[in-house]
Amino acid sequence: MKLEIARGVFLVGALAVASLAVAAWEQPRMQVLGAVNGNADHCPMPRVAKATVATQPDHDLLLFMFGLSQGMRPQS
């Protein structure tokens, strides 16, 4: 196969892959979040979030995160 033909085939293949990547790229669309009943001091909850049980924060979470960050340090 000639070099020119191989370059053409490669160019067509690269353009096909790039066009498929652009078609599959999914960006979130810009939306305006409106306040419900005129109450604009909080963000509305997503529809999939179910807050049926009041959750309590884990007070040991900060200590756990500190321990994880210390464990990631290189030992010197």
Side-chain angles (χ1 to χ4, degrees):
M1 185 174 352
K2 291 187 177 183
L3 185 59
E4 293 84 12
I5 296 172
R7 284 183 184 168
V9 169
F10 178 74
L11 180 65
V12 168
L15 289 175
V17 168
S19 63
L20 285 175
V22 167
W25 187 307
E26 186 174 329
Q27 289 266 350
R29 292 178 176 81
M30 294 192 323
Q31 296 177 339
V32 176
L33 297 176
V36 178
N37 297 329
N39 192 2
D41 57 348
H42 72 282
C43 292
M45 290 202 47
R47 282 184 254 157
V48 294
K50 304 235 186 231
T52 56
V53 179
T55 58
Q56 297 294 329
D58 186 9
H59 298 291
D60 294 330
L61 182 61
L62 186 60
L63 183 62
F64 175 69
M65 295 298 289
F66 178 74
L68 285 177
S69 67
Q70 295 298 311
M72 291 175 54
R73 278 190 185 168
Q75 295 180 359
S76 56

